[in-house]
Amino acid sequence: MRLSPWIVSFALAGVAAAAGPAVAATYLNSSNITVAVGAGTSPGDFNNTFNNGATITKVIDAPSASAEEFHDQQTHIWFTADALGGGLELRFDFQTEYDISVLHFWNYTSENFDVDTVSFTFYSGANVQVGALSVEPELGTSPGIRAQNLTLAAPLNVRYVTAFLSGSNRQVDFQNIGFTADVSAPIPEPATFGLMALGSLAVLLAARRRSSSVSPRP
């Protein structure tokens, strides 16, 4: 049974519209995302990190996932919580939804001040939680600090990320956080679903007409 070419094209067009074009993975840093101190940050001392919050973009200024960072007063983030269990909360805004494939974390090189735990929570553009992850990052390399790369199978459709960083001795000292991600495929609009359904129906009707028009063998 052969189907009318225009009917096949019509059905496939509906599928293509739903999937969307393929987009190469993107490294997310200060050129395309923002970061701010989150409301969940514990009472504590921001040490060298802030001038009324103006220098927080040091968290996302690594130019690439393979960049080497050197620890000095202009590059690192240093927070000391008042009590054990306290930490620094950061809130990232990707500006659009991404599917995150890799987390990149540049930790400090010494156990005395490094980040011991980072708890990530992932939210969609509608602020609906779509995932969570807790990691214990490795110590940074020395003298040049390179990122530890953490491959993720998910989450998808992420616009906002909250990261809570804590240390067993109240200290949080690190260089950078980065993300590698793909722009999320758009969720098909109701009209797209209608187009796909109409295309499928057209294919079925054409097949039915074709089979009913064939004369039975004698």
Side-chain angles (χ1 to χ4, degrees):
M1 179 182 70
R2 294 176 58 85
L3 300 179
S4 172
W6 73 267
I7 294 178
V8 175
S9 298
F10 186 56
L12 293 179
V15 175
V23 180
T26 302
Y27 177 68
L28 305 178
N29 63 3
S30 55
S31 66
N32 44 27
I33 66 176
T34 63
V35 65
V37 177
T41 297
S42 308
D45 183 358
F46 289 102
N47 302 301
N48 77 323
T49 302
F50 300 96
N51 178 13
N52 295 321
T55 61
I56 189 60
T57 52
K58 289 190 294 184
V59 172
I60 52 173
D61 68 355
S64 71
S66 60
E68 191 174 31
E69 288 272 313
F70 291 91
H71 184 86
D72 60 43
Q73 295 302 311
Q74 285 71 48
T75 64
H76 77 119
I77 308 301
W78 180 18
F79 172 78
T80 304
D82 287 345
L84 287 174
L88 172 66
E89 183 182 271
L90 299 174
R91 173 81 166 176
F92 301 88
D93 182 352
F94 292 173
Q95 310 302 317
T96 190
E97 291 187 340
Y98 284 89
D99 300 339
I100 302 174
S101 55
V102 187
L103 287 169
H104 311 281
F105 190 79
W106 287 256
N107 204 0
Y108 184 53
T109 59
S110 166
E111 286 286 2
N112 293 330
F113 301 101
D114 71 307
V115 176
D116 292 314
T117 304
V118 188
S119 297
F120 292 96
T121 310
F122 306 96
Y123 300 90
S124 70
N127 259 316
V128 175
Q129 183 175 334
V130 293
L133 174 70
S134 182
V135 299
E136 297 180 358
E138 300 172 355
L139 286 177
T141 56
S142 181
I145 301 173
R146 294 191 177 276
Q148 178 186 2
N149 302 314
L150 303 167
T151 302
L152 304 180
L156 307 178
N157 302 105
V158 176
R159 173 167 176 175
Y160 305 107
V161 179
T162 296
F164 187 80
L165 303 96
S166 59
S168 58
N169 59 355
R170 302 185 292 114
Q171 303 292 331
V172 168
D173 198 331
F174 69 105
Q175 297 291 132
N176 253 273
I177 299 176
F179 307 86
T180 295
D182 297 285
V183 175
S184 299
I187 298 172
E189 297 290 337
T192 301
F193 282 120
L195 176 63
M196 293 172 65
L198 184 59
S200 300
L201 179 60
V203 170
L204 292 174
L205 289 174
R208 231 173 143 178
R209 289 196 196 100
R210 176 78 58 179
S211 61
S212 62
S213 65
V214 174
S215 300
R217 290 177 180 272

